[in-house]
Amino acid sequence: MIATQLTNMELGPGIEKIRAENQQYIARQAAKMEGAVIPSAPLHQFPSVQQNQAQQSESALSAKTRPKIQFGLLSITKELDREQSLKLILLAFQRILANEKRAIQGGVGVAQQKLLIRLVTRLDHDSCDDFENLLMMFIVQEQKSRTELALLWIAELYAQYQGYSVCRTSYATDGYHNESQRYKRYDAVLCNLLRTLYERGEHKETLFHKILLEAPLLTPQSLVWLRTACLDSVFGAFGMTTLRELILTRARQRNELLGDVREYLVSSINYCTRPIPPAQLNTYEKESTKSDWDDASIRITLNLFLSILPLDHSLIHTLAAVYAKSSNDIKRVTLRTIDSAIKSMGATSEHLLEMIENCPQGAETFAARIVHLLTERNPPTQDLVNRITALYEQGRTDVRSMIPVLSGLDKDQILSILPKFVLTPVNQKSVPIVFNKLLAGRSIKTGLHPMGAGELLVALHKICAENKEENDLLFQNIDVLLTQLTATKDAIGSAIDQLCDDGIFSETLFYTVTRSHKIFPALGGFISNVLVKIANKKPWKNDPNLWPHFVRCAVANAPHSYFAILTVLTNHEFDELLQQSRKEGTDVLGSLRDYVPSLSAHQQKKIDHHVREIIMEYRPE
């Protein structure tokens, strides 16, 4: 301890040794700074060892003057041949494939999928086919969990085909595939996936159908695999379902998808022209028995055709042609089953309008039914009105086919077809519908009702009935207008006034006056004025046949008609009225005698003296 203290105070023999060790330490540190490697020396060494270390330190110090050699990767590596490099690339790709689970656990599953797809698609090299085969088998082995990987692969190739992404053939020359090569590559991968799945018997699985449903573009060769799947004897239903969805969703490729389907549809719908159904509809019946068409077999034949009809409107021409040649039973079922298909097509379909205009002979009822369905909840379009009107004017369809388009007709057209509804016995069930459409509907041209109640009543009175049957039908339809459609009394009064002012006097007018008074008793005062107006105009002078109808009207509308009888009729007309009423079993003298006191003095002065005498001389029996 004393020696250590003396040395620290730089006294004693130990100070020389400490100085020598410090110099050695400084020299060693300087050598290390220059990059020389100097082994550590123990604290206690023999003299010979110390001598060697001194020599090494001297050599380290001399190394300061040597030039430094910098480390470089290229200087210690050599270029691999092509076979080795491709093998290493393939091993690296396999390593990435094998680490799917670790990538998912690390939250980079999507990134791993993108990396795989880009390695396979972005560069065209010698191992590209091997990469594609490895990736394809990788997808097929675990279809449920790797469906998105397959769709991502197809989407990337489609993006390259459209020019949104690139695939380089060489980094040295900046080479790229042309459009034809990009399409072939897309088609090859798409079809190879479908072929592999089909050959493995996995076309019943989700991946096969999902590729078809979600592929951006279905190539002709891929549709061949779809057709093959549809024709499978066991799992063909899955393929048909996929085909149906594609037809519904792929508007641009619809005609291509419907190519084979169209041929089958046309051949199947033509079965309806045969006297008996085809054999395939009677699979479970004995071959010796021949069944006739029934509702079930007809619907089976029509169902597929009608489900495709909204997608391919041109098939309506085929259906119309078959309808024209079919039996009455098939026509009946067809008219009942086309509702949904026709409404889906809509009134703007050019093929539908063309079919109505050029309707096959015998399919007129089919065209009329279509017009009815199209206007059931929507107003008719002008094109539809023009087509069905042209068909009617050609005499090829019944007037009832015009009912759905009444709101699109001009008033002159309505007036021209109205008598055919009113005076035809077979059309009587349609008359209330016609009246309702005219009174409650809206014209597609003006937005107003096609006709008012008064206007319609006037139009009915202008219809000329040629025989008693037609006359009875006219009266019956006037009752329909007055009662079933609850026409307002103001409209009725306005119509009767207009008829009187226009001088349109007929049996129909007197019938209307009587029925109006019966239905609307509040019109009593108005009826009295109307009869006065008629009595003043004396229409029976021009047409003697009107006199009995006037008498019946006057008797039926008592006592509101008495003022006209007492004050307007001449003595001769009064006498004839009494005689006519007695012939029909009614004596009005007693009622007239009771009515006279109810008149004012001024009104009584208007009664002729001859008329007054007859009334006063009357004695009830």
Side-chain angles (χ1 to χ4, degrees), residues 373-390:
L373 292 173
L374 293 176
T375 57
E376 194 171 20
R377 294 188 178 181
N378 298 302
T381 62
Q382 191 59 51
D383 286 337
L384 188 63
V385 174
N386 295 339
R387 299 299 202 285
I388 194 65
T389 302

Side-chain angles (χ1 to χ4, degrees), residues 32-191:
K32 286 183 180 181
M33 294 294 292
E34 295 296 332
V37 179
I38 301 174
S40 58
L43 295 177
H44 303 286
Q45 295 179 339
F46 295 101
S48 60
V49 176
Q50 292 180 356
Q51 185 177 0
N52 291 335
Q53 288 180 352
Q55 292 176 356
Q56 290 177 358
S57 62
E58 290 177 1
S59 63
L61 292 174
S62 63
K64 295 179 181 180
T65 59
R66 296 179 184 177
K68 294 186 293 183
I69 300 175
Q70 188 172 1
F71 173 79
L73 182 62
L74 293 177
S75 62
I76 64 172
T77 58
K78 64 177 181 178
E79 184 178 357
L80 298 175
D81 58 28
R82 187 168 186 80
E83 183 179 354
Q84 290 177 324
S85 61
L86 292 177
K87 184 177 180 180
L88 289 175
I89 293 173
L90 193 60
L91 290 173
F93 184 74
Q94 291 174 339
R95 183 69 177 269
I96 298 172
L97 287 175
N99 282 274
E100 178 190 29
K101 185 178 293 186
R102 295 182 64 183
I104 295 173
Q105 291 174 348
V108 291
V110 176
Q112 188 240 14
Q113 290 184 351
K114 290 182 179 179
L115 177 60
L116 289 173
I117 297 304
R118 290 178 181 179
L119 287 173
V120 174
T121 60
R122 293 290 178 92
L123 182 63
D124 189 7
H125 49 79
D126 295 342
S127 297
C128 193
D129 292 339
D130 295 332
F131 278 26
E132 290 181 354
N133 292 333
L134 284 172
L135 183 59
M136 189 173 300
M137 297 310 299
F138 179 73
I139 292 171
V140 171
Q141 288 171 0
E142 294 289 341
Q143 297 181 28
K144 293 184 179 179
S145 60
R146 294 167 185 165
T147 300
E148 295 300 324
L149 181 61
L151 297 177
L152 185 63
W153 188 6
I154 295 172
E156 172 64 24
L157 291 175
Y158 180 76
Q160 292 181 9
Y161 166 61
Q162 293 293 336
Y164 304 133
S165 183
V166 295
C167 175
R168 302 190 64 168
T169 57
S170 173
Y171 278 99
T173 60
D174 291 337
Y176 299 95
H177 286 307
N178 57 35
E179 184 177 357
S180 175
Q181 291 173 325
R182 296 196 300 268
Y183 176 79
K184 288 180 180 178
R185 194 179 186 198
Y186 171 82
D187 179 49
V189 170
L190 177 62
C191 294

Side-chain angles (χ1 to χ4, degrees), residues 557-573:
N557 289 285
H560 301 289
S561 60
Y562 289 168
F563 184 76
I565 294 173
L566 294 173
T567 61
V568 180
L569 295 182
T570 63
N571 295 337
H572 178 68
E573 291 170 345

Side-chain angles (χ1 to χ4, degrees), residues 443-460:
S443 173
I444 62 174
K445 298 178 180 178
T446 63
L448 304 175
H449 299 307
M451 296 185 77
E455 190 177 10
L456 181 57
L457 187 59
V458 171
L460 291 177

